[in-house]
């Protein structure tokens, strides 16, 4: 399959041509352990923006290197930012774009996911980790704190005690600890993490894109709201889906004992 228009590898990202609705994006700054420069983040946000508009893409897998997923914010860039520089920094807006990607995003993490690297993994909807993965928020060692949602997403995901331990001590957790705490969905061998993430993304890509979009939206909304409001939000989304062709197709296909053919309508 040819690469869809606008979806080409960039200086910091390698893109594999989408197959079965899944785009694979690999962070590609091995010389700097995939440290997240502003340029890299802009490129990632642009790729996700293109992917969100592209009907050939139903899900995205993001990965890094074999030994380092991403070493966090680029400290050479960060060193030059004073307080006014941080106040005027464009990166929060770029992170926000990544957070708003409406299609499923799966991270396949091998090796270190540190600081902004751990935060990037937490922007994914699902994390598959190689058993050599290490997750950490070591910003405290630099006399700073996480700045791309690390404090907020970590505590909501792993709970207070572990989040406090990671953020206050800078200590890393293993892939298995990350799985036990709910940060990671599955642990595989390092060689298998990307293929497992792609397989899972393909399973998701075969569903109705409308139902997937609504499910992701409603699930993420649970972080933002009280249970009663979240339940109302779920009901509205459920109601909206009742008006789709895909929903009729899904139920009819089950009753007629055949595979559904979802059209995204
Ligand atoms: N930035 C820049 N360069 C880095 C880097 C980083 N984060 N991490 C590694 N490198 C560079 C090293 O400087 C070295 O470059 P050269 O000396 O060759 O020029 C090269 O990559 C290889 O590094 P190592 O020799 O250290 O490689 P190892 O394989 O031995 O170790 C490592 C890999 C990932 C364990 C280690 O490199 C490491 O500990 N790196 C730093 C991890 C870290 O402290 N990360 C937290 C960064 S702070 C915000 C958004 C986000 C953030 C803040 C604000 N806003 C929107 C407000 C996030 C902050 C952070 O992430």
């Amino acid at each position: 399959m040819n690469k869809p228009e606008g979806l080409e590898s960039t200086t910091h990202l390698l893109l594999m041509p989408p197959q079965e609705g899944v785009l694979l994006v690999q962070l590609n700054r091995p010389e700097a352990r995939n440290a997240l420069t502003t340029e890299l983040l802009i490129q990632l946000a642009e790729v996700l923006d293109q992917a969100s508009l592209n009907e050939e893409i139903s899900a995205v897998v993001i990965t890094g290197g074999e030994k380092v997923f991403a070493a966090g914010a680029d400290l050479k860039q960060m060193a030059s930012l004073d307080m006014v520089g941080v106040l005027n920094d464009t990166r929060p807006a770029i992170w926000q774009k990544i957070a708003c990607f409406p299609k499923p995003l799966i991270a396949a993490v091998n090796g270190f996911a540190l600081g902004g690297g751990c935060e990037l993994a937490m922007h994914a909807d699902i994390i598959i980790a190689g058993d050599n993965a290490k997750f950490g928020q070591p910003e405290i060692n630099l006399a700073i704190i996480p700045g791309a949602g690390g404090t907020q997403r970590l505590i909501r995901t792993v709970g207070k005690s572990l989040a406090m331990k990671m953020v206050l001590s800078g200590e890393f957790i293993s892939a298995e600890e990350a799985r036990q705490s709910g940060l990671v969905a599955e642990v595989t061998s390092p060689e298998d993490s990307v293929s497992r993430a792609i397989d899972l993304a393909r399973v998701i890509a075969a569903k109705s894109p409308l139902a997937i979009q609504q499910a992701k939206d409603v699930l993420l909304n649970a972080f933002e709201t009280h249970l009663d409001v979240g339940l109302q939000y779920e009901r509205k989304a459920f109601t909206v889906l009742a008006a789709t062709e895909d929903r009729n197709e899904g139920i009819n296909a089950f009753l007629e004992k055949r595979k559904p053919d979802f059209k995204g309508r």
Side-chain angles (χ1 to χ4, degrees):
M1 196 185 291
N2 291 328
K3 279 178 194 152
E5 196 117 340
L7 279 171
E8 301 289 337
S9 292
T10 66
T11 46
H12 299 321
L13 302 175
L14 285 178
L15 270 59
M16 314 303 157
Q19 286 186 341
E20 295 178 49
V22 178
L23 175 70
L24 175 63
V25 179
Q26 181 172 23
L27 307 177
N28 187 32
R29 288 193 76 215
E31 72 289 354
R33 304 301 184 264
N34 291 333
L36 305 169
T37 55
T38 305
E39 296 71 35
L40 185 152
L41 290 170
I42 289 172
Q43 290 172 13
L44 180 58
E46 279 175 1
V47 164
L48 293 178
D49 195 36
Q50 292 291 333
S52 71
L53 299 171
N54 193 311
E55 286 181 9
E56 274 184 51
I57 296 170
S58 302
V60 174
V61 171
I62 184 166
T63 193
E66 288 171 17
K67 296 196 175 141
V68 182
F69 174 73
D74 189 287
L75 293 171
K76 289 172 190 159
Q77 265 187 351
M78 194 180 275
S80 63
L81 287 183
D82 60 9
M83 193 183 82
V84 174
V86 172
L87 274 174
N88 292 328
D89 194 358
T90 53
R91 275 175 297 183
I94 307 168
W95 280 104
Q96 183 58 21
K97 282 189 184 171
I98 296 169
C100 288
F101 179 57
K103 296 179 182 179
L105 179 62
I106 301 182
V109 175
N110 286 333
F112 294 102
L114 304 180
C118 186
E119 290 168 311
L120 178 59
M122 285 192 285
H123 276 68
D125 303 307
I126 300 170
I127 303 175
I128 305 293
D131 61 20
N132 66 344
K134 297 262 181 230
F135 295 85
Q137 299 287 166
E139 289 89 341
I140 204 73
N141 299 327
L142 310 169
I144 57 173
I145 65 169
T151 60
Q152 302 306 297
R153 290 198 175 87
L154 199 58
I155 202 162
R156 283 165 169 77
T157 307
V158 305
K160 177 182 161 190
S161 190
L162 186 54
M164 285 284 185
K165 184 182 96 160
M166 289 173 71
V167 172
L168 301 186
S169 74
E171 283 185 10
F172 305 159
I173 60 170
S174 67
E176 187 49 34
E177 287 172 289
R179 190 192 64 75
Q180 283 170 13
S181 63
L183 179 60
V184 154
E186 284 180 31
V187 177
T188 66
S189 69
E191 305 77 54
D192 290 339
S193 62
V194 173
S195 60
R196 172 61 187 139
I198 290 173
D199 284 349
L200 186 59
R202 285 187 182 147
V203 167
I204 294 169
K207 316 289 183 200
S208 163
L210 299 172
I212 291 291
Q213 182 197 62
Q214 291 300 310
K216 171 169 173 168
D217 185 37
V218 171
L219 281 160
L220 286 181
N221 188 57
F223 280 141
E224 315 285 344
T225 191
H226 297 295
L227 179 62
D228 55 348
V229 178
L231 290 171
Q232 281 176 32
Y233 198 60
E234 180 191 81
R235 175 127 306 267
K236 294 263 192 257
F238 189 92
T239 307
V240 165
L241 288 172
T244 65
E245 286 178 27
D246 278 357
R247 178 264 203 185
N248 293 340
E249 169 64 8
I251 293 177
N252 288 338
F254 174 79
L255 296 175
E256 293 161 16
K257 301 190 191 305
R258 60 175 174 83
K259 278 186 106 174
D261 179 17
F262 295 123
K263 299 272 197 271
R265 293 196 292 263

